[in-house]
Amino acid sequence: MTAPALELADIFRIHGPAYLDTYGASLSAAQKKALRDIAVCRTAALGGHVEQCDRCGHRTIAYCSCRNRHCPKCQSAARAAWLEQRAGELLPVEYFHVVFTLPQMVAPVALQNQRIVYGMLFRAAAETLLQIAADPKHLGARIGFVAVLHTWGQNLHNHPHLHCVVPGGGIAPDRSRWIACRRQFLLPVKVLSRLFRAKFADYLRRAFHHGELSFHGQLQQLAQKHNFIAWLNRIARNEWVVYAKPPFGGPHQVLKYLARYTHRVAIANRRLIALQDGHVSFRWKDYTRAGQPAIMTLQATEFIRRFLLHVLPRGFVKIRHFGFLANRGREDSIRLCRTLLDAQSPNVRDAAVTGQPQPNPPDRCPLCNEGSMRPVEILLPQAAALARAPIPIAALRCDTS
């Protein structure tokens, strides 16, 4: 695959040092690390190794990856491994995509309290789906789902929302049968929206009562109880957005669909157009105009600032499983679901890729397309260049994906 003409790393290498000098004091450790890691990803600064084709002798250099989860070049291997694990958990049913979005008034508070507020988003959305699905008036079953946190919009502004991929049905309370949802319909979105709003507002109220929320800058006035309660009442009066997309089919489509959301970062390299005169231009979809394609140009410092809004706190888990897909007891629950569906151990992993062209193995020689590329020499990081010498390949640990 041809590398993009412009990469996020190029912007960070050129403008990152000045940004750190000017704004470094206001950045978190995770933001500083992301800025530095992405700038040196797959460069001589991290070292790497020389590969040689065992057939034609062609040589290439493969530099090590930064492995930062916010780096657009380091997600393919992690995504592939995660999807391989999930493939064995898919069920032969329709799947639905439900999106829970925080109101714009909440986004600044979420940004200043990421770990707490994003955790609330997961809990409120999960409890909402599980509670409404368990209600006999709606489905009357225990469902399972995967939830993925995204914090950005197409213009890189802060836009926290949760993508939930939900099988179309669940396990009956007595575990005796599979209860399927109505065709093309999972749960009523208006009911989901209002319960989600109530639960999230309650979590905010509790967090404020226990002194867990911080307010800085223009939000400082919310630190006073009467201001916070008035603000909370305003957001609780508005309708909150919960969107359920039409089902996108069974296991044949789910893996491809999940791949679009699970390990995505705020902006992909392919959307970048130009870096010129201290300005960055990139493609985006303007959803105020029905998703019409457009080009946005920002000062490099503003572009970096917007990107860093979406660097999550260290250790924060952005992909979570709930219901019968929760980590605890997942294997037993999947086994029960397949028994109830009368589809014992379907080979959904093969079904998901049937009919799709298979790419060449990653170690195939790009020149002769017949031999395999084998590591023959380690390259130490650039800082150790003066002492660098060929090293036996046995202890090599680097990512060449």
Side-chain angles (χ1 to χ4, degrees), residues 67-90:
R67 296 184 182 272
N68 193 298
R69 63 173 169 170
H70 303 96
C71 176
K73 291 191 292 188
C74 289
Q75 303 311 304
S76 58
R79 178 171 53 246
W82 188 88
L83 291 175
E84 175 69 15
Q85 294 174 338
R86 302 288 80 77
E89 301 167 359
L90 297 177

Side-chain angles (χ1 to χ4, degrees), residues 89-122:
E89 301 167 359
L90 297 177
L91 300 172
V93 298
E94 286 185 328
Y95 279 74
F96 291 81
H97 181 189
V98 183
V99 183
F100 293 84
T101 303
L102 291 183
Q104 196 56 45
M105 286 180 63
V106 179
V109 175
L111 188 60
Q112 294 188 8
N113 301 272
Q114 289 180 310
R115 192 179 296 276
I116 294 173
V117 176
Y118 294 158
M120 291 178 189
L121 173 56
F122 272 108

